[in-house]
Amino acid sequence: MPAAVTSSSGSAPRRRAADMAYDAIETLIATLQLEPGSPVVEAEIAERTGLGRTPVREALLRMTSLGLIDQQPRRGLLVSSIDLADHLDVIQTRRVLETLIASCSARRATAAERKEIVRCAEKMVKAAARGHLDDYMAADHELDRVNHRASRNQSAVMGVSPLIVQCRRFWYAYQHEGDIVEAADAHMELAQGIATGDEAAAVAGANRLMDYLERFARRVIDN
């Protein structure tokens, strides 16, 4: 009996630690602290994040399965590269999932979640007006978390999450071509649609955001 209790009580912390490791590594990749093509060393990541090697290993395996990290013979783990042409496909696929999530959130969000989504969008608008990219991205990440939870559609969330990381990384790499004020306005339209339970407005906001990301990507490609 004591052994069974230890096993059960220990499993939850391991899962939480793996999620924490995933979030920490995702941030390193999205903000280009781990650059495309750079090696990913488990021990170094564990030291950098202050987390154990077991949760870091689990997070890296998950990221490899999602295509954020490549495993290559004799070279080990590498951060996946940014493919400009492929990025348009990323946005096209993300559009389908984002509009679905927006629709679900408009229908299913609780009153508290609706308020929180608008609050996050307001933080994005304020950060954009100040030109503070890090604050903007932090609020964006927070909005995504609440929106994803509110959608009650885990399949769509699992599909869109790695695509969002790719888009954030693309932004950090080519931010000189972007306009976070325009992007923040699109997020506010999305948030207000969800907050009022207006599915059409929420979907329109999601599409407006994807339109902006596509124009942004095309500017980068054309230049």
Side-chain angles (χ1 to χ4, degrees), residues 19-161:
D19 289 339
M20 290 171 60
Y22 183 93
D23 288 344
I25 300 168
E26 177 188 279
T27 297
L28 293 175
I29 292 175
T31 58
L32 301 181
Q33 295 179 63
L34 286 176
E35 296 182 353
S38 63
V40 179
V41 181
E42 181 183 299
E44 292 178 359
I45 296 295
E47 182 177 358
R48 191 166 182 174
T49 60
L51 297 166
R53 293 185 66 165
T54 296
V56 167
R57 184 179 303 117
E58 292 177 13
L60 292 176
L61 286 172
R62 180 179 165 194
M63 290 187 152
T64 301
S65 70
L66 294 173
L68 297 173
I69 291 176
D70 295 331
Q71 186 167 20
Q72 299 186 1
R74 296 184 297 279
R75 298 188 65 191
L77 299 178
L78 303 174
V79 178
S80 63
S81 61
I82 297 177
D83 187 318
L84 293 183
D86 181 63
H87 194 68
L88 292 175
D89 290 338
V90 168
I91 295 171
Q92 184 179 37
T93 305
R94 183 179 170 186
R95 182 189 295 272
V96 176
L97 294 171
E98 289 285 6
T99 53
L100 173 59
I101 289 170
S103 178
C104 289
S105 291
R107 293 198 314 271
R108 300 170 177 173
T110 65
E113 288 167 342
R114 296 177 197 276
K115 290 180 181 178
E116 185 67 9
I117 287 171
V118 172
R119 186 187 70 82
C120 292
E122 289 172 344
K123 288 171 64 175
M124 293 180 71
V125 170
K126 291 177 182 178
R130 297 196 310 270
H132 201 300
L133 181 59
D134 288 339
D135 285 353
Y136 172 89
M137 286 296 188
D140 182 25
H141 192 53
E142 187 179 358
L143 189 153
D144 283 340
R145 284 200 302 269
V146 183
N147 185 25
H148 291 172
R149 183 173 68 247
S151 74
R152 308 311 193 263
N153 189 331
Q154 190 61 26
S155 295
V157 170
M158 289 176 64
V160 82
S161 294

